[in-house]
Amino acid sequence: MKKWMLGLSCLGLMACSDGAGTVTFTAYGEDYIEKEIPAAVGDEDGIVDGWTVRFSKFLVVLGEVKVGNHDETAVEMTQARVFDVHKPGPVVVETFRDVPAQEWDHVSFAIAPNANAVAGNADAADVTRMKDGGYSVYMEGTATKGAQTKRFAWGFTTNTVYEHCESPGLGAGVTVPKDGEETVQLTIHGDHLFFDDLQSPDAKMRFDALAAADSMGIAGPDGEVTLEELAAVDLTELPSGQYGTGGVGNVQTLRDFVTALTRNLGHYRGEGECEPRAR
């Protein structure tokens, strides 16, 4: 009976709240995007086949940030923005004021193309690049291993909503404090772009297969790995035990594989997880 009465008392946005507070969402690329993804040494995290990756640009179109409960939305971001998370962060994505002070168990956001996106911290030319290309994610960088250097500049048009976000320490959603402010970080995990499995929690970062794709171009190896070259690599040609799809459909080439990995870039409050939904 007590649970039933509590349910009745919580109908409506303001019923269970006590005043209002502020929620600020930020975006952050962590050291892996801002500085480098190192080669693995011993048991340390890193790229296991000896490559080091450094980004010079890492653009994402962030939008549709929502805070709510079940089918009830408390606040929602209406303007998509382009962020370069290679630049030092965290950087503010959106601030919501006068949010009912209570626990909200559902937070979601999107990384998706948007023709009406404006600059977050990205340069004007990069905003134009994202809109003209229909990109949700775009990055430039280099990978090095000994005397070898490979350049890459990849743009992706994937449209992904990250739903039911939660963090290991703080749980699902966000608690808005009365007369206070809560900061929520949307963390972009650039290292996930180089995982060798789409589903396994034991996936490792690799670059050898990506580097080898440089030889697939018409002109032969030229030091740049393109998406067209990745498309020429059939996953069945790669070493056994690497680049497993885990049952994800329509993933046959290395380009398909890397494209699918872009749907795992968005995380919540550091190592927290969301459920990615393709649109």
Side-chain angles (χ1 to χ4, degrees):
M1 180 62 71
K2 287 184 179 180
K3 290 184 179 179
W4 180 78
M5 291 299 291
L6 178 61
L8 284 179
S9 70
C10 289
L11 294 176
L13 276 176
M14 295 296 294
C16 286
S17 67
D18 180 16
T22 299
V23 182
T24 293
F25 285 84
T26 63
Y28 182 40
E30 301 184 307
D31 283 352
Y32 278 165
I33 293 179
E34 289 188 6
K35 297 178 181 178
E36 68 175 24
I37 306 175
V41 177
D43 294 332
E44 296 179 4
D45 290 337
I47 301 175
V48 297
D49 48 20
W51 291 85
T52 296
V53 169
R54 295 180 179 89
F55 295 103
S56 56
K57 192 184 299 291
F58 202 113
L59 306 173
V60 292
V61 182
L62 284 170
E64 302 177 52
V65 178
K66 293 182 184 179
V67 176
N69 280 331
H70 309 297
D71 295 327
E72 186 177 52
T73 299
V75 287
E76 180 176 357
M77 179 181 178
T78 58
Q79 177 64 69
R81 296 186 175 90
V82 181
F83 294 91
D84 185 351
V85 291
H86 171 63
K87 295 180 178 180
V91 60
V92 172
V93 174
E94 185 72 281
T95 295
F96 299 107
R97 295 180 173 83
D98 298 320
V99 184
Q102 64 178 70
E103 293 183 8
W104 297 99
D105 63 13
H106 185 255
V107 169
S108 62
F109 64 98
I111 298 179
N114 192 302
N116 298 312
V118 299
N121 71 337
D123 299 336
D126 284 330
V127 175
T128 300
R129 180 202 304 272
M130 300 299 279
K131 293 164 70 170
D132 288 352
Y135 298 140
S136 56
V137 181
Y138 176 89
M139 73 286 299
E140 296 177 0
T142 57
T144 57
K145 180 181 181 180
Q148 300 181 75
T149 297
K150 299 293 183 181
R151 304 180 307 278
F152 57 89
W154 300 334
F156 301 91
T157 59
T158 42
N159 185 325
T160 310
V161 181
Y162 294 87
E163 301 175 308
H164 308 293
C165 298
E166 59 181 291
S167 68
L170 298 173
V174 60
T175 300
V176 179
K178 179 183 178 182
D179 301 325
E181 180 174 0
E182 182 75 359
T183 299
V184 177
Q185 183 187 109
L186 307 179
T187 315
I188 309 301
H189 284 198
D191 55 316
H192 289 196
L193 197 67
F194 305 106
F195 278 178
D196 67 355
D197 195 287
L198 296 182
Q199 297 289 337
S200 173
D202 298 320
K204 294 178 171 56
M205 288 183 277
R206 300 180 188 274
F207 200 86
D208 271 348
L210 301 172
D214 183 27
S215 64
M216 304 300 290
I218 295 175
D222 62 359
E224 181 172 4
V225 180
T226 68
L227 290 177
E228 289 72 24
E229 289 169 334
L230 296 183
V233 181
D234 193 292
L235 294 183
T236 60
E237 300 171 358
L238 299 178
S240 175
Q242 297 179 21
Y243 296 95
T245 64
V248 177
N250 300 317
V251 180
Q252 298 176 335
T253 70
L254 198 48
R255 177 175 182 164
D256 296 336
F257 193 92
V258 175
T259 300
L261 287 173
T262 66
R263 298 194 185 278
N264 294 318
L265 296 178
H267 284 255
Y268 192 64
R269 291 182 154 177
E271 297 302 316
E273 300 282 348
C274 306
E275 296 176 12
R277 174 170 59 87
R279 295 191 295 194

